[in-house]
Amino acid sequence: MKTVASAMVSRSLIGILAIGVGIATVAGCSDDDRQSAVPLLVSGNAQTSVSEPEPIGTAPTLAPVDPGTTTPREVPDFSQVTPPPIQPDLPDQPTGSLNALQSFAFNQYEVVLSNLVVRGVIADVDIQVLNNTCGTDVTEALNPTAVAQFENLLVGRGNTVVDAIGFDFNFQFPTDPEFFEDGRILSRGNRTLLTVDAEGEPSTEEFLTGDEIIVIVTITDTFGQVLRLNDGIFEEGDERLGLPCGFRVSGGEAILN
């Protein structure tokens, strides 16, 4: 009887323990825990089932590069870029007129500048004399001291109230007499010339003759703007007799064929 009672007590204890384990399981596991739990047995067979793990991403494999085949990266040029120069607002272009003269009494040239307007102020002046008949430069015939004085008197003009509306300027240049004595320049003048007609009859007649001398005056303002003026010593309307280059007049007379 003790044996039977012991067996019954043992089964009762086992039942109580099973109920306690069940209660503990229900109380300590959440729905997530139950869902993540791996079932040990599958109904209908004795095979075990294990859930598949999440795939782990892997970096793509780069193809090997042969040595020396890579293109080097261009190095940017960070050198300083020079900005374009600032263009100032230029004043009006210089304007004016020139009249070149040579008196009959003296072999001197006179330059007359009229209504000269140089708002940027005169910075440089240059004068040139050409013998257009012979195609030569005869600027050296002008007295160099007079040329320097002519240039100095004009440099700096243009910034006064009077100059701004236009001013006149004239200057007379003494010349080197050797240029007229050796025939490099035939001066402008009236000459009595001996002519012979078709029948061989000689006669004298007065003509206005001389080499075609051109005077060129170039004026540059402080902004680099240039005014170039030129004029010949013969006026419009002069009835000039053109003689060849180097034509010599002896005693004021010459024979023309």
Side-chain angles (χ1 to χ4, degrees):
M1 293 294 289
K2 290 182 178 180
T3 303
V4 174
S6 298
M8 292 178 64
V9 171
S10 297
R11 287 195 295 268
S12 300
L13 292 174
I14 292 172
I16 294 171
L17 290 174
I19 294 171
V21 170
I23 295 172
T25 301
V26 172
C29 296
S30 63
D31 293 340
D32 294 337
D33 294 334
R34 288 193 299 272
Q35 291 177 359
S36 61
V38 179
L40 297 179
L41 296 177
V42 179
S43 60
N45 57 50
Q47 295 180 356
T48 61
S49 175
V50 180
S51 63
E52 293 293 334
E54 293 289 334
I56 300 175
T58 58
T61 304
L62 299 178
V65 179
D66 296 335
T69 59
T70 58
T71 302
R73 184 177 63 180
E74 295 183 1
V75 179
D77 185 8
F78 293 105
S79 61
Q80 184 178 3
V81 178
T82 303
I86 299 175
Q87 296 292 338
D89 293 332
L90 298 179
D92 295 336
Q93 180 76 22
T95 58
S97 61
L98 167 66
N99 188 19
L101 305 170
Q102 183 214 325
S103 64
F104 285 169
F106 304 98
N107 295 331
Q108 296 180 347
Y109 298 117
E110 183 177 3
V111 170
V112 178
L113 297 170
S114 302
N115 196 27
L116 191 60
V117 179
V118 187
R119 300 289 176 83
V121 183
I122 298 176
D124 184 69
V125 180
D126 180 73
I127 185 169
Q128 188 178 18
V129 181
L130 302 178
N131 186 338
N132 204 36
T133 301
C134 298
T136 55
D137 189 324
V138 291
T139 306
E140 294 181 356
L142 303 180
N143 185 286
T145 303
V147 172
Q149 185 180 13
F150 169 75
E151 295 173 352
N152 292 335
L153 289 174
L154 281 175
V155 170
R157 297 287 302 266
N159 61 345
T160 64
V161 176
V162 176
D163 291 349
I165 61 176
F167 65 95
D168 300 333
F169 182 84
N170 66 291
F171 193 89
Q172 193 170 41
F173 294 90
T175 56
D176 186 349
E178 290 187 2
F179 278 77
F180 301 90
E181 293 172 358
D182 60 15
R184 281 178 285 180
I185 299 176
L186 180 61
S187 62
R188 174 179 182 269
N190 291 320
R191 293 181 173 87
T192 301
L193 303 179
L194 178 63
T195 63
V196 179
D197 59 18
E199 298 178 356
E201 294 293 330
S203 62
T204 59
E205 188 176 352
E206 190 175 82
F207 297 94
L208 175 62
T209 62
D211 288 341
E212 184 182 5
I213 301 298
I214 305 297
V215 179
I216 303 172
V217 175
T218 304
I219 296 174
T220 306
D221 68 5
T222 52
F223 292 93
Q225 298 181 118
V226 178
L227 172 64
R228 187 176 184 272
L229 304 171
N230 64 85
D231 188 47
I233 60 172
F234 288 95
E235 302 296 330
E236 185 178 356
D238 285 345
E239 295 182 1
R240 166 179 170 264
L241 177 64
L243 300 178
C245 176
F247 185 85
R248 300 301 299 272
V249 177
S250 176
E253 296 181 354
I255 298 176
L256 304 180
N257 295 323

